[in-house]
Amino acid sequence: MLHNILPTMVMSALADRATRKALAYLVYSTKEVSAERALSYGIVSDVVPRDALEAEVKTLCANILQAPAIATEGVKDYLQHALTMDVPAAIDYARNFTRW
């Protein structure tokens, strides 16, 4: 709100990650939040000490790269579309990936 950026544009990037209350607090307070609070809001997936960050990144990248490319693409597609579907549709969508 203080940077001449429309708050709703930033909020839309977090709409599927943070609760309404967390979004409101972040926008209205304009406070920088701790790593632990960002984790609790769903903005980040993990918090590690600074000296362990590089090792964590390497491990995560290695895990992603060792998976078959088709599996990685399937997960990306599923995450992009299935989470807005009702549960039966999301299950059917997941079953269709076995046909790839």
Side-chain angles (χ1 to χ4, degrees):
M1 296 215 342
L2 303 175
H3 300 287
N4 294 323
I5 299 172
L6 187 61
T8 52
M9 301 248 332
V10 176
M11 292 170 73
S12 69
L14 299 173
D16 64 341
R17 293 169 180 80
T19 64
R20 181 180 303 187
K21 186 174 183 175
L23 281 174
Y25 176 78
L26 290 168
V27 171
Y28 290 134
S29 73
T30 70
K31 290 182 179 179
E32 187 173 309
V33 296
S34 68
E36 288 75 19
R37 182 162 289 188
L39 182 64
S40 73
Y41 285 173
I43 297 170
V44 298
S45 298
D46 201 4
V47 175
V48 298
R50 183 182 304 264
D51 60 346
L53 181 59
E54 187 66 30
E56 285 290 320
V57 169
K58 286 182 180 180
T59 300
L60 177 60
C61 290
N63 288 343
I64 293 169
L65 291 172
Q66 77 180 7
I70 192 77
T72 302
E73 289 299 316
V75 169
K76 288 168 59 176
D77 191 84
Y78 190 82
L79 289 171
Q80 183 176 11
H81 300 289
L83 302 181
T84 58
M85 298 176 180
D86 60 35
V87 173
I91 291 169
D92 286 342
Y93 190 52
R95 290 180 178 150
N96 283 321
F97 282 100
T98 61
R99 298 182 187 139
W100 282 23

